């Protein structure tokens, strides 16, 4: 784990006023979420924020508690003065830790009975983990159904679909695996040998180990150095977990991708690529719109090959063989290019899915699950992009008084030209303007008002300019004539 992952910032954003937490590793993110923070996942960044609608006192209370919890497990937290605290909260193992313990039991297991026993905690029909998860999905669906919002029923339906179609498949398959292992009564051939070997070496070392002295250090041989490229520990295969290379049992990704392209609705093309070196897998996967299964596979495994499916409208899908599985593939969407990264803010990634080595079934899963979520996310991104785009200056029509006539600049839009014509304007080709005659000034004023109102509804501005009166050159102002004297004549 990099040292930078043990450091977080916790500040109130000066622009939005939100309390934001940035940095940290998955454990820190879990602590933030358990303190009330909401993860914000974008293509180009990942951070946490407090929920909207909280008053400032509640925000400060939660931020102080988050800092206390993080520092209690030795995270460095740079925070606002209002959030700084000397308190430390006790760190208790969460519910997920007991589930993760079963995974560790399976990793250490040497017999089929040990793995079957661990899997029982998940597949037990009454109180197993998967049965409880089914209950959680159902209860959440019922809650959403009662909210009564326009989209709440759709969310409830989605949750029921996950419980009935997705979770049931996992539970059924895992129960079958558990039953099959319980009947085998076999020792794992590799792990049994490794455990005996490790036990034997440990016993020998305990018998031969002597107290260390200065002489021992002088005669110690330096560890051999590798001349190959340096990789992080998470991506470097260990002796107990060797790097896998393609074998006859490895799924044929190229053929699967071609068949999948033929089964998907619409017109798709497939492009298969083999990675000559490890770093090649990141170039094509840079814009994969996923922070779940596929992101984990890219970061933690050597993939060696991938495929990209492209629809005629530009939609792209990324396909890889699922690591450690000989019968499944992972399919995810690729984020659209050429859009301001800010448009992806607060848009949830349409995470990829695992599909079987069956192009027909895989195409159905993609069409009913992945693509609808991709279309929804893409619509939100495009809407955000439209809001971020600068608003173009509206077209402006200038009306200028010339003598007794009004001259109107010619608009670009045909519907605006029609409005001027309908209100009595006549186009003058020589001056390239519309002319509104001034024989009837009252009708002229009414025509200008009507045209301005109709142009405004089209989003076209109107500017009326009157020329300033100026005296003629080399002339003196003429005085107004004196009023005539009242007449003294008598009327008859």
């Amino acid at each position: 784990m990099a040292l930078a992952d043990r450091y977080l910032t916790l500040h109130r954003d000066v622009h939005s006023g939100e309390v934001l937490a940035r940095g940290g590793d998955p454990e820190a993110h879990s602590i933030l979420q358990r303190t009330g923070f909401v993860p914000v996942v974008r293509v180009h960044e990942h951070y946490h924020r407090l929920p909207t609608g909280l008053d400032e006192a509640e925000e400060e209370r939660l931020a102080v508690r988050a800092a206390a919890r993080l520092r209690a497990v030795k995270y460095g937290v740079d925070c606002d003065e209002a959030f700084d605290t000397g308190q430390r909260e006790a760190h208790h193992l969460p519910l997920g830790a007991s589930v993760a313990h079963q995974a560790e039991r399976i990793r250490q297991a040497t017999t089929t009975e040990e793995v079957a026993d661990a899997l029982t905690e998940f597949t037990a029909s009454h109180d197993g983990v998967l049965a409880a998860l089914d209950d959680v999905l159902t209860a959440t669906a019922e809650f959403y159904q009662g909210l009564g919002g326009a989209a709440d029923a759709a969310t409830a339906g989605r949750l029921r679909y996950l419980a009935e179609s997705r979770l049931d498949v996992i539970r059924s398959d895992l129960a079958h695996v558990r039953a099959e292992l319980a009947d085998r009564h076999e020792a794992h051939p590799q792990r049994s040998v490794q455990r005996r070997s490790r036990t034997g070496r440990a016993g020998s070392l305990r018998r031969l180990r002597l107290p260390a002295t200065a002489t021992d250090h002088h005669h110690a041989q330096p560890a051999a150095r590798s001349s190959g490229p340096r990789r992080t520990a998470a991506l470097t295969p260990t002796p107990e977990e060797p790097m896998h290379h393609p074998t006859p049992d490895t799924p044929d990704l190229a053929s699967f991708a071609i068949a999948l392209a033929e089964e998907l609705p619409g017109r798709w093309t497939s492009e298969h690529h083999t990675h000559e070196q490890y770093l090649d897998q990141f170039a094509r996967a840079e814009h994969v719109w996923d922070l779940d299964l596929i992101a984990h596979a890219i970061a933690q495994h050597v993939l060696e090959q991938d495929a990209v499916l492209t629809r005629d409208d530009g939609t792209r899908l990324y396909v890889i063989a699922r690591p450690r599985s000989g019968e499944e593939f992972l399919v995810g969407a690729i984020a659209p290019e050429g859009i301001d990264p800010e448009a992806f803010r607060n848009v949830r990634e349409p995470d990829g899915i695992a599909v079987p080595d069956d192009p027909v079934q895989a195409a159905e899963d993609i069409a009913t699950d992945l693509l609808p979520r991709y279309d929804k996310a893409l619509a939100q991104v495009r809407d955000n992009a439209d809001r971020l785009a600068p608003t173009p200056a509206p077209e402006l029509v200038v009306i200028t008084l010339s003598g007794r006539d009004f001259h109107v600049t010619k608009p670009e839009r045909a519907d605006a030209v029609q409005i001027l014509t309908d209100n009595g304007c006549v186009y003058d080709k020589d001056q390239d303007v519309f002319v509104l005659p001034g024989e009837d000034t009252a009708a002229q004023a009414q025509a200008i008002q009507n045209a301005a109102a109709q142009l405004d509804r089209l989003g076209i501005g109107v500017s009326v300019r009157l020329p300033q009166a100026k005296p003629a050159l080399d002339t003196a102002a003429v005085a107004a004539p004196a009023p005539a004297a009242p007449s003294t004549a008598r009327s008859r």
Side-chain angles (χ1 to χ4, degrees):
M1 184 67 67
L3 182 61
D5 291 334
R6 303 294 301 180
Y7 176 82
L8 297 94
T9 61
L10 183 59
H11 299 290
R12 186 180 295 278
D13 187 78
V14 295
H15 301 292
S16 65
E18 295 178 297
V19 177
L20 306 179
R22 300 180 185 275
D25 55 14
E27 181 186 0
H29 299 164
S30 179
I31 293 174
L32 287 170
Q33 292 165 25
R34 292 176 188 280
T35 313
F37 281 74
V38 177
V40 178
V41 179
R42 300 167 55 191
V43 173
H44 301 282
E45 64 175 330
H46 182 194
Y47 61 93
H48 288 75
R49 63 168 175 81
L50 283 177
T52 59
L54 302 180
D55 58 38
E56 188 171 341
E58 180 63 10
E59 289 179 337
E60 183 174 325
R61 185 187 72 82
L62 293 176
V64 169
R65 190 175 190 187
R69 287 182 167 183
L70 289 166
R71 287 171 176 170
V73 288
K74 308 303 181 183
Y75 282 97
V77 182
D78 177 25
C79 60
D80 291 348
E81 184 177 356
F83 308 151
D84 204 358
T85 177
Q87 299 176 359
R88 299 292 184 271
E89 285 197 23
H91 183 65
H92 302 287
L93 289 179
L95 179 63
S98 60
V99 177
H101 175 66
Q102 303 306 317
E104 188 60 30
R105 286 181 59 192
I106 295 173
R107 292 190 183 96
Q108 299 296 329
T110 59
T111 66
T112 58
E113 290 92 343
E114 291 175 347
V115 177
D117 184 57
L119 291 179
T120 303
E121 295 297 330
F122 295 87
T123 61
S125 58
H126 175 63
D127 53 5
V129 172
L130 293 178
L133 181 56
D134 189 347
D135 197 29
V136 168
L137 291 172
T138 302
T140 308
E142 293 172 353
F143 178 83
Y144 259 100
Q145 190 69 45
L147 288 177
D152 294 332
T155 301
R158 171 67 181 172
L159 291 170
R160 292 193 185 95
Y161 166 77
L162 292 176
E164 297 168 2
S165 300
R166 295 296 184 181
L167 188 59
D168 276 355
V169 172
I170 296 174
R171 182 166 47 190
S172 174
D173 287 0
L174 203 57
H176 175 77
V177 168
R178 182 258 174 194
E180 195 269 339
L181 288 174
D183 290 336
R184 291 184 67 165
H185 306 290
E186 296 179 13
H188 194 286
Q190 296 179 6
R191 292 189 179 182
S192 299
V193 172
Q194 290 171 355
R195 174 171 290 186
R196 289 195 299 269
S197 177
R198 287 196 297 268
T199 304
R201 288 197 302 270
S204 300
L205 289 174
R206 282 193 293 270
R207 289 192 296 271
L208 298 175
R209 185 175 293 119
L210 299 175
T213 64
T215 306
D216 295 331
H217 293 290
H218 284 299
H219 289 85
Q221 296 295 325
R225 295 184 179 179
S226 171
S227 59
R230 185 175 182 181
R231 294 175 180 170
T232 61
L235 295 174
T236 303
T238 64
E240 297 182 11
E241 186 180 0
M243 182 186 300
H244 296 281
H245 296 282
T247 67
D249 296 331
T250 301
D252 185 352
L253 176 60
S255 299
F256 174 79
I258 293 173
L260 179 61
E262 295 176 352
E263 296 295 337
L264 285 170
R267 299 180 59 184
W268 295 79
T269 58
S270 172
E271 179 188 0
H272 177 261
H273 184 260
T274 301
H275 308 148
E276 296 183 359
Q277 53 184 347
Y278 165 67
L279 293 179
D280 288 350
Q281 74 185 47
F282 297 102
R284 284 161 63 92
E286 181 180 2
H287 298 290
V288 172
W289 210 359
D290 181 285
L291 280 175
D292 192 13
L293 288 173
I294 298 180
H296 176 79
I298 295 170
Q300 301 294 333
H301 299 278
V302 179
L303 302 180
E304 298 176 337
Q305 57 178 334
D306 60 34
V308 173
L309 307 186
T310 304
R311 196 165 61 188
D312 51 8
D313 64 354
T315 299
R316 293 179 297 165
L317 299 178
Y318 181 80
V319 187
I320 58 175
R322 186 171 189 177
R324 305 176 185 272
S325 173
E327 300 179 352
E328 284 188 317
F329 294 89
L330 299 180
V331 183
I334 297 179
E337 298 179 347
I339 297 180
D340 187 344
E342 189 66 19
F344 290 85
R345 177 187 289 272
N346 296 332
V347 177
R348 179 178 177 179
E349 258 78 359
D351 292 328
I353 59 175
V355 298
D357 187 5
D358 177 355
V360 176
Q361 183 61 50
E364 181 179 347
D365 292 345
I366 294 169
T368 59
D369 186 358
L370 175 59
L371 289 178
R373 290 186 290 107
Y374 170 79
D375 292 337
K376 178 180 178 181
L378 180 60
Q380 293 174 337
V381 168
R382 286 176 173 169
D383 183 63
N384 292 344
D386 291 340
R387 296 174 188 274
L388 293 171
T391 303
E395 184 179 355
L396 182 66
V397 169
V398 179
I399 303 176
T400 306
L401 180 62
S402 178
R404 299 188 64 180
D405 300 336
F406 279 99
H407 288 186
V408 185
T409 57
K410 181 183 177 181
E412 297 180 359
R413 294 174 53 172
D415 49 357
V417 170
Q418 187 63 46
I419 288 175
L420 295 181
T421 303
D422 292 344
N423 284 280
C425 295
V426 179
Y427 181 60
D428 186 333
K429 294 183 179 180
D430 295 334
Q431 302 184 66
D432 192 28
V433 296
F434 280 85
V435 178
L436 182 62
E439 289 85 359
D440 185 344
T441 56
Q444 187 184 49
Q446 186 62 47
I448 291 176
Q449 292 179 4
N450 293 340
Q454 295 171 28
L455 291 171
D456 181 69
R457 286 194 287 271
L458 295 180
I460 299 176
V462 175
S463 174
V464 180
R465 301 176 183 177
L466 302 178
Q468 295 180 352
K470 297 182 180 179
L473 297 177
D474 300 327
T475 60
V478 179
S487 174
T488 58
R490 294 177 180 266
S491 61
R492 293 183 180 181

